[in-house]
Amino acid sequence: MPTSPVNTRIPLTSFGHLITEVKKQLFGIKAPTSVELTGLRKYFNSYTLQGRRNCVLATYGVFAAAAAAYFMRRQNKKEPQTSSST
Amino acid sequence: MVLSFFDQFMSPSYLGIPLMALALILPWTLYPKPTSQWISNRVLTLQGWFINRFTQQLMLPLGRKGHKWALLLTSLMIFLITLNMLGLLPYTFTPTTQLSLNMGFAVPLWLATVLIGMRNQPTIALGHLLPEGTPTPLIPVLIIIETISLFIRPIALGVRLTANLTAGHLLIQLIATAAFVLAPLMPTVALLTATLLLLLTLLEVAVAMIQAYVFVLLLSLYLQENV
């Protein structure tokens, strides 16, 4: 009976982890070596743990900055309106 | 007094005194305490064997740091399985049909696993939010998706248990009412309905045990990621 090429102990905590594990075992993700990662990709990539952490923090930072800019702009719009009405 | 099908899910009270506390204390009274005798009786031996075996299986994928959670998870499992099984008795209130109770278990325990991960290993905890080998254009999208799935976990935990128990109890009541109403009118059909009711009750016994196990297993998986 043909055996599955995929090992059975696949972490099932998230769909992303499942897909990553299957890709690794069936196709083999060829992670670039540390020498190949240069420039910005050395710090922001999806292969190393630190790279993934930095990508997550950068994404959250961009959203936080956008939200802060939006609320400040809304506050600035409200202030001229109240001063012109008085 | 006209009873609706949802009266079984009302939180019980007597003369204005809520009886929820009594319903929650009941499982504690049903389990014998281990004695200081060298060899216990059959019930205690079985109880001890089950608790040890279950804890061993649950703690297998967790490291030593996760073993601190053994008491909490095993007692939660026994509590949930007892509440679910007792609720299958006729005219018995099932506390786990209350979303407030299940969310009261799910949210703090899930939050504890997340905070433990962020405190002890923040890089690994944040790294979990982006699967390895993701193509660059998909990185922001996948981070958002994984963040949403992280925050949906406690809701899913609580609602899964509530919905399964509530739906099961409702089905049992509906089919039992149908069998009772059909008995004088169409006895053969009532007999078939009663057979269906018996099979459904057996299914609900399995669901009661499985849902308690799934709740605790998922919590241990979330802990495994973070500890």
Side-chain angles (χ1 to χ4, degrees):
Chain A
M1 186 166 173
T3 52
S4 165
V6 178
N7 291 340
T8 48
R9 288 187 75 88
I10 297 175
L12 289 174
T13 46
S14 81
F15 198 54
H17 283 68
L18 174 65
I19 297 291
T20 306
E21 201 58 40
V22 170
K23 269 164 67 176
K24 249 188 186 165
Q25 292 181 27
L26 281 183
F27 309 112
I29 295 175
K30 287 180 188 164
T33 57
S34 54
V35 182
E36 289 174 26
L37 291 168
T38 53
L40 217 59
R41 279 183 66 76
K42 189 178 172 187
Y43 299 104
F44 296 96
N45 59 74
S46 61
Y47 299 104
T48 60
L49 191 61
Q50 287 74 20
R52 280 150 56 199
R53 177 201 66 194
N54 292 340
C55 284
V56 170
L57 289 173
T59 308
Y60 287 164
V62 163
F63 275 107
Y70 171 75
F71 283 118
M72 280 181 67
R73 200 177 160 193
R74 221 169 71 162
Q75 206 170 13
N76 286 343
K77 269 188 182 174
K78 265 186 188 172
E79 276 170 14
Q81 273 178 7
T82 49
S83 64
S84 64
S85 62
T86 53
Chain B
M1 191 175 78
V2 176
L3 287 173
S4 79
F5 287 110
F6 293 98
D7 282 345
Q8 60 180 315
F9 302 122
M10 268 171 44
S11 197
S13 65
Y14 181 68
L15 299 175
I17 305 164
L19 297 175
M20 186 58 141
L22 207 66
L24 291 174
I25 285 170
L26 182 63
W28 171 69
T29 61
L30 297 173
Y31 287 95
K33 200 175 70 173
T35 63
S36 53
Q37 288 175 339
W38 183 39
I39 297 174
S40 325
N41 58 29
R42 287 187 188 90
V43 174
L44 270 173
T45 308
L46 268 172
Q47 181 182 286
W49 171 83
F50 172 74
I51 289 172
N52 285 338
R53 195 87 181 98
F54 176 78
T55 312
Q56 191 188 0
Q57 283 299 312
L58 197 66
M59 294 293 124
L60 215 56
L62 294 169
R64 281 187 80 98
K65 284 185 187 172
H67 292 177
K68 290 180 208 170
W69 284 63
L71 179 64
L72 178 64
L73 292 176
T74 308
S75 55
L76 181 65
M77 165 71 178
I78 291 170
F79 186 57
L80 289 177
I81 206 171
T82 312
L83 286 178
N84 290 350
M85 297 291 278
L86 282 176
L88 288 170
L89 296 169
Y91 295 102
T92 310
F93 173 67
T94 318
T96 41
T97 53
Q98 306 295 307
L99 185 64
S100 52
L101 180 82
N102 297 331
M103 293 300 278
F105 280 130
V107 172
L109 292 173
W110 162 83
L111 192 60
T113 61
V114 170
L115 292 175
I116 282 171
M118 288 293 173
R119 187 175 180 271
N120 296 338
Q121 41 185 40
T123 303
I124 296 174
L126 286 171
H128 280 310
L129 291 170
L130 179 62
E132 206 179 316
T134 307
T136 313
L138 283 177
I139 287 174
V141 179
L142 225 53
I143 289 172
I144 294 166
I145 289 170
E146 290 283 341
T147 307
I148 293 170
S149 91
L150 178 72
F151 282 98
I152 274 184
R153 279 178 184 178
I155 303 169
L157 266 180
V159 172
R160 183 186 299 110
L161 187 56
T162 310
N164 271 287
L165 271 293
T166 309
H169 281 69
L170 212 54
L171 261 177
I172 284 174
Q173 186 159 9
L174 281 168
I175 292 175
T177 309
F180 187 69
V181 166
L182 285 171
L185 301 170
M186 291 184 276
T188 319
V189 176
L191 191 64
L192 287 170
T193 315
T195 314
L196 181 64
L197 178 64
L198 177 69
L199 294 172
L200 182 67
T201 308
L202 291 173
L203 174 70
E204 283 307 311
V205 169
V207 164
M209 292 191 283
I210 288 166
Q211 287 305 318
Y213 175 62
V214 161
F215 192 97
V216 173
L217 180 71
L218 283 172
L219 271 174
S220 75
L221 284 178
Y222 301 154
L223 184 67
Q224 198 183 330
E225 270 188 359
N226 291 300
V227 88

